[in-house]
Amino acid sequence: THPSEEEKKEPTLLKSYIAGFEVVKASDEDCRLLLGDRSDEEIVDIFLGWGVKTVLITQGPKGVFVATKEKRYRIPAFNGEKEVIDRTGAGDSFTAGFLVEYLRSREPEYSAYYGSAVANYIIKRSGGVLLERMPVKEDVEKILKQNKVKLK
């Protein structure tokens, strides 16, 4: 069930779940459903205040808002709507790409670019979420270079 208006103002149950996480990723739509009509800045302030280290608010074709206590970044979705064939799996692929790079580097900004490149690769193909549809590191790095992101 959806949270009541009172629960959105004082989300104690949500806080009890999230407080122990290092990384929280949610869509902008999910955030507003859970926390009410708040800005991205207000939402990340809430999550960071609960002890989360890195917050990702995905925004579909607009990209992702990434926040830590130290910095905040708006990372674009590469190519946006230009070459979309099939969005199936794009969000999950972004998250997987982000986590793979984040576990390696612990750099939220670069990891978000990496995730965006993975999602970009996925949306240019069709066929569902299949192993053969997934990019390898070289595919992701090619997209990063095309978008002038310095490789790590």
Side-chain angles (χ1 to χ4, degrees), residues 1 34 41 54 63 68-69 97-98 104 116 143:
T1 64
L34 294 170
E41 296 286 341
T54 302
T68 66
K69 284 202 182 285
F98 174 88
R104 186 187 73 77
S116 187
I143 294 167

mmCIF file of all heavy atoms in Angstrom, residues 1 34 41 54 63 68-69 97-98 104 116 143:
data_model
loop_
_atom_site.group_PDB
_atom_site.id
_atom_site.type_symbol
_atom_site.label_atom_id
_atom_site.label_comp_id
_atom_site.label_asym_id
_atom_site.label_seq_id
_atom_site.Cartn_x
_atom_site.Cartn_y
_atom_site.Cartn_z
ATOM 1 N N THR A 1 0.835 -1.187 0.000
ATOM 2 C CA THR A 1 0.000 0.000 0.000
ATOM 3 C C THR A 1 0.872 1.240 0.000
ATOM 4 O O THR A 1 2.019 1.212 0.418
ATOM 5 C CB THR A 1 -0.926 0.017 1.236
ATOM 6 O OG1 THR A 1 -0.126 0.104 2.398
ATOM 7 C CG2 THR A 1 -1.805 -1.205 1.284
ATOM 8 N N LEU A 34 6.845 8.139 -1.881
ATOM 9 C CA LEU A 34 7.194 7.786 -0.502
ATOM 10 C C LEU A 34 7.313 8.982 0.434
ATOM 11 O O LEU A 34 7.030 8.878 1.625
ATOM 12 C CB LEU A 34 8.518 7.010 -0.492
ATOM 13 C CG LEU A 34 8.489 5.642 -1.156
ATOM 14 C CD1 LEU A 34 9.905 5.094 -1.293
ATOM 15 C CD2 LEU A 34 7.613 4.680 -0.373
ATOM 16 N N GLU A 41 16.651 17.999 -3.994
ATOM 17 C CA GLU A 41 17.557 18.434 -2.912
ATOM 18 C C GLU A 41 17.011 18.042 -1.540
ATOM 19 O O GLU A 41 17.746 17.549 -0.684
ATOM 20 C CB GLU A 41 17.783 19.948 -2.975
ATOM 21 C CG GLU A 41 18.482 20.433 -4.225
ATOM 22 C CD GLU A 41 19.968 20.124 -4.258
ATOM 23 O OE1 GLU A 41 20.570 19.858 -3.198
ATOM 24 O OE2 GLU A 41 20.538 20.152 -5.364
ATOM 25 N N THR A 54 25.520 7.429 -0.167
ATOM 26 C CA THR A 54 25.344 7.855 -1.553
ATOM 27 C C THR A 54 23.882 7.667 -1.943
ATOM 28 O O THR A 54 23.329 6.583 -1.751
ATOM 29 C CB THR A 54 26.245 7.037 -2.507
ATOM 30 O OG1 THR A 54 27.610 7.202 -2.109
ATOM 31 C CG2 THR A 54 26.090 7.491 -3.943
ATOM 32 N N GLY A 63 18.386 11.576 -16.845
ATOM 33 C CA GLY A 63 19.608 11.159 -16.180
ATOM 34 C C GLY A 63 19.403 10.804 -14.724
ATOM 35 O O GLY A 63 18.377 10.263 -14.340
ATOM 36 N N THR A 68 26.185 12.929 -2.224
ATOM 37 C CA THR A 68 26.859 12.482 -1.013
ATOM 38 C C THR A 68 26.853 13.677 -0.073
ATOM 39 O O THR A 68 26.421 14.769 -0.456
ATOM 40 C CB THR A 68 28.316 12.051 -1.296
ATOM 41 O OG1 THR A 68 29.071 13.199 -1.701
ATOM 42 C CG2 THR A 68 28.388 10.970 -2.376
ATOM 43 N N LYS A 69 27.339 13.506 1.132
ATOM 44 C CA LYS A 69 27.409 14.654 2.043
ATOM 45 C C LYS A 69 28.325 15.741 1.486
ATOM 46 O O LYS A 69 28.110 16.918 1.721
ATOM 47 C CB LYS A 69 27.894 14.213 3.424
ATOM 48 C CG LYS A 69 26.824 13.498 4.221
ATOM 49 C CD LYS A 69 27.132 13.546 5.700
ATOM 50 C CE LYS A 69 26.108 12.794 6.502
ATOM 51 N NZ LYS A 69 24.844 13.462 6.651
ATOM 52 N N GLY A 97 25.349 -1.275 -13.652
ATOM 53 C CA GLY A 97 26.578 -0.615 -14.079
ATOM 54 C C GLY A 97 27.140 0.279 -12.984
ATOM 55 O O GLY A 97 28.348 0.294 -12.729
ATOM 56 N N PHE A 98 26.254 1.035 -12.339
ATOM 57 C CA PHE A 98 26.691 1.890 -11.235
ATOM 58 C C PHE A 98 27.360 1.049 -10.154
ATOM 59 O O PHE A 98 28.456 1.363 -9.695
ATOM 60 C CB PHE A 98 25.519 2.669 -10.630
ATOM 61 C CG PHE A 98 25.916 3.443 -9.405
ATOM 62 C CD1 PHE A 98 26.415 4.730 -9.519
ATOM 63 C CD2 PHE A 98 25.831 2.867 -8.136
ATOM 64 C CE1 PHE A 98 26.826 5.430 -8.392
ATOM 65 C CE2 PHE A 98 26.238 3.554 -7.006
ATOM 66 C CZ PHE A 98 26.734 4.847 -7.128
ATOM 67 N N ARG A 104 34.172 -1.140 -7.404
ATOM 68 C CA ARG A 104 35.573 -1.104 -7.818
ATOM 69 C C ARG A 104 36.256 0.184 -7.358
ATOM 70 O O ARG A 104 37.333 0.163 -6.788
ATOM 71 C CB ARG A 104 35.685 -1.225 -9.344
ATOM 72 C CG ARG A 104 37.124 -1.349 -9.856
ATOM 73 C CD ARG A 104 37.201 -1.292 -11.373
ATOM 74 N NE ARG A 104 36.967 0.047 -11.897
ATOM 75 C CZ ARG A 104 37.866 1.036 -11.869
ATOM 76 N NH1 ARG A 104 39.044 0.852 -11.356
ATOM 77 N NH2 ARG A 104 37.564 2.209 -12.374
ATOM 78 N N SER A 116 25.198 5.150 -16.588
ATOM 79 C CA SER A 116 24.507 5.803 -17.696
ATOM 80 C C SER A 116 24.955 5.218 -19.037
ATOM 81 O O SER A 116 24.144 5.018 -19.944
ATOM 82 C CB SER A 116 24.767 7.315 -17.654
ATOM 83 O OG SER A 116 23.990 7.977 -18.617
ATOM 84 N N ILE A 143 31.374 4.202 -25.071
ATOM 85 C CA ILE A 143 30.310 5.195 -24.867
ATOM 86 C C ILE A 143 30.812 6.330 -23.977
ATOM 87 O O ILE A 143 30.533 7.509 -24.237
ATOM 88 C CB ILE A 143 29.048 4.529 -24.281
ATOM 89 C CG1 ILE A 143 28.452 3.559 -25.311
ATOM 90 C CG2 ILE A 143 28.020 5.570 -23.850
ATOM 91 C CD1 ILE A 143 27.401 2.623 -24.751
#
